[in-house]
Amino acid sequence: MQELLRRADSPPSREELLALAGFLEEALAHIEAGEKQSVRHYAELERRLLDIENSRFLRTLQWPGRFLGDWKGRLGQLLLRSPLHPIYLKLVNPHFTADRYRLWVESEQAPRQPSRMRELLISVILPVRNPQRHWLEAAVASVLHQTYGCWQLCVCDDASELSWAAEYFSALSAAEPRIRFVRSGERLGIAGALNRAGELASGEYAGFLDQDDVLAPYALDCVSQAVQDAQPDLIYSDEDYLDSQGRRVQPIFKPAFSPDLLRCGMYLGHFLVVRTATLREMGWFRTGYDGSQDYDLALRLAGQSTAIRHIPRVLYHWRQHPESTALHAAAKPYTQGAGLKALSEAVAQRDAGAVVTAGASPNTYRVHWSAPAHLQASLIVCSRNATLLTRCLEAIQKNAKHTAHTHREIVIVQHRTGDIAAMDRLLDATACVRVPYTGPFNFAAMNNLGARHATGDVLVFMNDDVEPLESDWLTAMLRHANRRNVGAVGAKLIYPSGAIQHAGIVIGIMEGAGHLHRNTFGSPYWNWLPFTRNVSAVTGACLAMRKSVFEELGGFDESFPVNYNDVDLCLRARQAGYEVIVEPAALLRHYECQSRQAGVRLEERYLFEQRWAACLDRGDAFYSPHLRRTIEDAGLELQDLVEPPAWR
């Protein structure tokens, strides 16, 4: 068996294949017999199975599938951005996503009613301006047909040129006392109309509805449930779109409140529900921000309150039509400037030196936090492979365009095993801090050793099999790491094929934690890949942390020599009150598992599950409960649907 695992080039013989089959049969026999052996026995069995899984033979068998998958992904990305886009659509089956979501909608269930629930009045605020009648009637009907009855609809007609609108609401309000209506004789603008309608509101909470959109029948019921045990200042929900035939398409599943994602754009969406007392304190909407007045409100509220809750249910249906940003993000170009103004003001209150710029797509933004040029970064790389380390160092050191931030040192923790002479020759020719390590492979212990020899303000832990692809990758990470409330910063890592290797870690999927979107180019159900956002954890393959925070947390836990050490560190950082950030602008290529054996060890998995059991049971608030947990592709879950939490 060991000889089979060692062989690299020649195909296995018949005897070797028989030996492999015999060992697998032995392993299955142990499992089927249900033998209650010691953890040590299972650890040895696991080690031998991992040896088989990582053998050249089995990896060679897997190679054609990986190659074809990478080829299809690369071709798809090229066609997607080319005049040959129709060919791409034929390749990927354009109806698959819509059909899968249709099946999901058919299986969706109304929320359960709690046995006892405090009733509170919810005011729905509806501004109206020259509406299309059938769409407006659908919007009003979605309020009238709510399963929750303690509501009021507060409407302001913003000087519509259509006389029927005032007649329609006058008749409605006369027949239904829960409907309140006022008409403005002059244009107020969207913010002014919202404020005028808000003057009619007497509810404890106020939610906002556009004239051509629709609420889910149980939307207000979910809001009422979400405030039973708390008094949040702001509540938001998931949403989707209504196409030209009125069908529900393109769901927007959202994470729990992510302040860094909010600074990239108004991800909270349309159905904002805000405590009216808070609205009054803040002065409602500001008229100088029309088009992004809700974004301005959310930013101001987030700056003074952490009581922001997410309802992980699709409660709002956003209608797609030519004049709506639901169909064309650039349909209202003035909204970009209003949002940029609102965000710049909000960011300036936190960091006077920060700069806000427009993002890559309409109504998105990037915040460039300030960081002193003299901020010293210590790049800590553990390695025993001179070939991998050479490529890594060349990308960092010799090719200056890949690492613009020059105030740095490189700390190499040399695992003195393998070809030691080749490593010594490389390090003799490299300007670095050399730290020898002679024990068995322990990623946590080696990084802790490197951190003790580092002199930088920020520690940047890197694998020897990564290489930066953007010049400001280090600057982008340092800007976040220098923020007082940030504990850890991760980069976006891609495979040589361009597929995603790391874009944030999700807790509670796979074997306790998984890499979101691994081996994919993205998911139609999880739209946040291009944006800076808060996550539960990031990979140690490229992780930045202020040295003071690292020492406060006690460094990596050496009980996790191979797996979970990075996740455990990030969870302890969050437990201590720090944010964990993934920054896609820090882009690196990762060859993954070039310097260690892939796989998760039983003892490490057991320790992780014991230590973070409560966290695993709760699920990851930064990941939708409607997405799969057995695969890392962020695909839509259709089987074993569970009741999502009332709020997160």
Side-chain angles (χ1 to χ4, degrees):
M1 172 60 63
Q2 296 302 319
E3 177 62 25
L4 172 62
L5 298 178
R6 283 194 296 269
R7 295 183 62 144
D9 301 318
S10 60
S13 65
R14 179 176 181 276
E15 291 74 17
E16 290 169 333
L17 288 174
L18 288 174
L20 174 61
F23 178 73
L24 290 174
E25 185 176 352
E26 175 192 345
L28 290 173
H30 280 299
I31 295 171
E32 290 174 358
E35 295 180 3
K36 296 184 178 180
Q37 303 291 341
S38 65
V39 171
R40 181 178 178 182
H41 170 82
Y42 281 115
E44 173 61 19
L45 183 63
E46 179 184 56
R47 184 192 65 76
R48 296 176 70 187
L49 288 171
L50 285 173
D51 285 343
I52 294 174
E53 182 183 345
N54 286 278
S55 68
R56 290 290 183 93
F57 170 57
L58 288 187
R59 285 189 302 191
T60 300
L61 291 180
Q62 295 166 358
W63 181 84
R66 288 199 304 268
F67 174 79
L68 290 174
D70 288 349
W71 176 84
K72 183 178 178 181
R74 286 181 177 182
L75 180 61
Q77 293 298 302
L78 290 172
L79 293 176
L80 181 63
R81 297 171 175 83
S82 77
L84 301 177
H85 181 66
I87 298 177
Y88 171 74
L89 293 180
K90 290 181 180 179
L91 280 175
V92 299
N93 183 4
H95 302 294
F96 176 79
T97 299
D99 290 345
R100 192 169 182 85
Y101 185 57
R102 177 181 54 79
L103 293 173
W104 186 90
V105 168
E106 291 173 357
S107 64
E108 191 179 23
Q109 298 179 357
R112 299 174 185 172
Q113 280 281 0
S115 56
R116 299 181 64 181
M117 190 167 72
R118 178 175 69 90
E119 194 171 73
L120 74 156
L121 180 63
I122 302 172
S123 301
V124 178
I125 309 298
L126 175 62
V128 173
R129 167 73 181 172
N130 293 335
Q132 290 204 29
R133 183 157 191 156
H134 60 289
W135 289 348
L136 178 63
E137 289 177 346
V140 172
S142 74
V143 179
L144 292 171
H145 298 149
Q146 286 292 303
T147 58
Y148 183 80
C150 192
W151 55 262
Q152 62 178 185
L153 179 62
C154 304
V155 185
C156 174
D157 184 322
D158 189 20
S160 290
E161 298 159 5
L162 307 171
S163 59
W164 67 263
E167 295 170 359
Y168 169 72
F169 280 111
S170 296
L172 274 178
S173 59
E176 171 56 78
R178 292 178 296 179
I179 297 178
R180 299 182 175 186
F181 172 70
V182 64
R183 184 180 188 278
S184 173
E186 59 182 9
R187 280 297 307 275
L188 300 173
I190 182 64
L194 284 163
N195 291 343
R196 184 69 182 89
E199 294 174 5
L200 306 174
S202 56
E204 189 173 341
Y205 281 85
F208 305 100
L209 173 66
D210 283 359
Q211 64 184 19
D212 43 14
D213 298 338
V214 175
L215 292 179
Y218 44 79
L220 300 184
D221 207 341
C222 288
V223 171
S224 178
Q225 290 185 39
V227 302
Q228 291 302 305
D229 300 323
Q231 289 290 310
D233 288 310
L234 186 149
I235 304 165
Y236 65 100
S237 73
D238 295 344
E239 57 193 83
D240 60 14
Y241 295 94
L242 296 176
D243 67 11
S244 57
Q245 282 79 46
R247 296 171 300 196
R248 290 176 56 184
V249 297
Q250 299 175 26
I252 304 176
F253 298 124
K254 305 171 187 176
F257 181 58
S258 174
D260 281 87
L261 181 56
L262 182 62
R263 297 184 190 107
C264 294
M266 183 51 177
Y267 88 93
L268 302 183
H270 280 76
F271 191 42
L272 295 187
V273 181
V274 187
R275 199 158 61 99
T276 49
T278 303
L279 280 168
R280 294 189 190 100
E281 292 171 6
M282 299 178 63
W284 284 74
F285 296 96
R286 297 197 288 180
T287 56
Y289 299 83
D290 275 9
S292 291
Q293 73 287 333
D294 52 352
Y295 188 37
D296 171 60
L297 176 70
L299 289 168
R300 287 187 289 136
L301 195 151
Q304 67 181 45
S305 173
T306 58
I308 300 175
R309 303 290 182 259
H310 169 229
I311 300 174
R313 280 187 172 275
V314 179
L315 302 184
Y316 193 94
H317 311 304
W318 190 8
R319 195 178 301 278
Q320 295 178 329
H321 59 83
E323 297 179 1
S324 169
T325 54
L327 189 60
H328 302 293
K332 300 175 180 178
Y334 61 91
T335 62
Q336 175 84 15
L340 187 66
K341 177 183 175 184
L343 179 59
S344 297
E345 289 184 5
V347 168
Q349 294 179 4
R350 291 179 171 269
D351 183 351
V355 176
V356 180
T357 60
S361 55
N363 299 314
T364 64
Y365 312 94
R366 273 200 67 190
V367 178
H368 306 267
W369 301 97
S370 63
H374 59 77
L375 190 69
Q376 171 85 347
S378 294
L379 279 56
I380 300 173
V381 186
C382 304
S383 184
R384 63 183 178 188
N385 186 310
T387 302
L388 290 178
L389 185 59
T390 298
R391 182 173 58 194
C392 177
L393 293 178
E394 285 180 350
I396 295 170
Q397 253 182 330
K398 296 180 181 178
N399 194 349
K401 71 176 184 178
H402 281 171
T403 308
H405 187 89
T406 58
H407 202 61
R408 62 180 188 266
E409 67 174 359
I410 296 178
V411 179
I412 304 297
V413 180
Q414 180 190 5
H415 192 188
R416 295 188 66 78
T417 183
D419 192 345
I420 297 175
M423 280 290 291
D424 285 340
R425 287 193 298 271
L426 172 61
L427 296 182
D428 287 341
T430 302
C432 66
V433 178
R434 299 174 62 170
V435 182
Y437 175 82
T438 57
F441 181 85
N442 187 315
F443 185 77
M446 287 189 286
N447 275 310
N448 287 342
L449 180 62
R452 288 195 290 272
H453 287 80
T455 62
D457 307 294
V458 178
L459 308 177
V460 184
F461 301 97
M462 300 178 64
N463 280 15
D464 61 358
D465 57 354
V466 301
E467 53 184 3
L469 300 176
E470 301 288 347
S471 62
D472 64 346
W473 72 276
L474 182 55
T475 304
M477 298 185 75
L478 294 179
R479 282 174 171 160
H480 289 297
N482 190 54
R483 293 163 56 191
R484 183 172 299 179
N485 68 323
V486 172
V489 185
K492 178 181 177 181
L493 307 179
I494 60 173
Y495 289 114
S497 67
I500 296 162
Q501 191 274 330
H502 172 264
I505 291 177
V506 175
I507 306 303
I509 70 172
M510 304 297 288
E511 296 174 311
H515 285 208
L516 186 62
H517 298 289
R518 193 204 301 258
N519 272 318
T520 75
F521 291 87
S523 165
Y525 307 109
W526 196 247
N527 310 307
W528 316 116
L529 270 178
F531 307 113
T532 308
R533 62 195 189 282
N534 307 82
V535 292
S536 292
V538 292
T539 179
C542 187
L543 184 155
M545 177 177 283
R546 291 195 308 283
K547 188 172 185 179
S548 59
V549 176
F550 187 78
E551 292 173 344
E552 174 189 340
L553 298 174
F556 289 101
D557 187 336
E558 297 177 14
S559 302
F560 297 105
V562 180
N563 300 284
Y564 302 114
N565 40 61
D566 45 8
V567 181
D568 174 75
L569 179 67
C570 290
L571 291 178
R572 285 187 283 122
R574 286 187 53 79
Q575 196 175 61
Y578 294 105
E579 296 287 351
V580 176
I581 306 293
V582 63
E583 176 50 76
L587 181 65
L588 297 91
R589 183 180 291 118
H590 189 195
Y591 295 89
E592 195 182 25
C593 292
Q594 297 293 304
S595 56
R596 71 170 180 86
Q597 190 183 67
V600 178
R601 272 64 177 177
L602 175 67
E603 293 181 11
E604 289 180 303
R605 183 163 66 246
Y606 178 78
L607 175 60
F608 180 78
E609 290 173 351
Q610 290 296 307
R611 177 174 296 177
W612 298 106
C615 186
L616 294 171
D617 290 342
R618 255 190 330 266
D620 196 320
F622 296 117
Y623 185 67
S624 174
H626 304 301
L627 302 180
R628 286 194 286 222
R629 281 162 169 67
T630 55
I631 308 176
E632 295 169 304
D633 65 351
L636 191 60
E637 182 63 82
L638 291 181
Q639 298 178 345
D640 301 325
L641 290 174
V642 296
E643 181 79 6
W647 55 266
R648 303 189 298 176

